[in-house]
Amino acid sequence: AMWEGLFSPAPTTSAGRVLLSEWPESALREKWTGEELQAAGGARHFTSTDEFLAVLAEIRKTGYSIVDEEFELGVVGCSAPVRDPGGRIIAVINVGAPKLRLGPQLQQAAVITRKAARELSAALVTPH
């Protein structure tokens, strides 16, 4: 698939979910109503704000996000946050691939992506 230059609503992608994972709940509820989430699309979409908030809570707990054919059929992805010295998310490391290639190792890839993001975050703290 060719995605360059295309808009992807944040709830549909693993990277977008990581970026939203630490928004205040009130802001998430205001922006991502059930109607907004359904309009955001994707191959599979959230049916309620509570469902979306539960996924974001899981991202905060595990330190990574996984999307399995939710953004686009046949495509999987995982992402993890890169943080500044104060702990604020400033970027995301994302891995996306066809499910046929990465699907069986998606969980493993997510753990490795989280490790890489933590290493990058730590390296950004230390001047070189």
Side-chain angles (χ1 to χ4, degrees):
M2 181 66 169
W3 301 317
E4 186 176 341
L6 296 179
F7 172 77
S8 299
T12 66
T13 66
S14 59
R17 292 175 189 181
V18 167
L19 291 171
L20 292 175
S21 68
E22 293 188 348
W23 277 31
E25 183 176 332
S26 59
L28 288 164
R29 286 191 180 279
E30 184 178 327
K31 169 61 181 157
W32 298 107
T33 62
E35 296 79 24
E36 247 338 279
L37 288 165
Q38 289 178 32
R44 298 181 190 154
H45 58 265
F46 294 103
T47 57
S48 72
T49 303
D50 286 338
E51 181 187 5
F52 183 48
L53 291 175
V55 167
L56 298 181
E58 185 67 17
I59 292 167
R60 288 189 299 275
K61 182 178 150 192
T62 63
Y64 58 79
S65 174
I66 288 178
V67 172
D68 186 349
E69 294 191 295
E70 294 166 67
F71 173 62
E72 184 174 308
L73 291 176
V75 176
V76 298
C78 57
S79 299
V82 176
R83 299 177 182 277
D84 70 10
R88 186 175 59 117
I89 296 173
I90 57 169
V92 174
I93 293 181
N94 177 68
V95 175
K99 185 167 184 164
L100 287 173
R101 292 187 201 156
L102 187 63
Q105 294 90 21
L106 185 57
Q107 183 71 38
Q108 182 183 7
V111 171
I112 295 167
T113 302
R114 177 181 63 194
K115 182 177 185 286
R118 287 177 175 170
E119 289 175 2
L120 178 56
S121 298
L124 293 174
V125 173
T126 310
H128 295 301

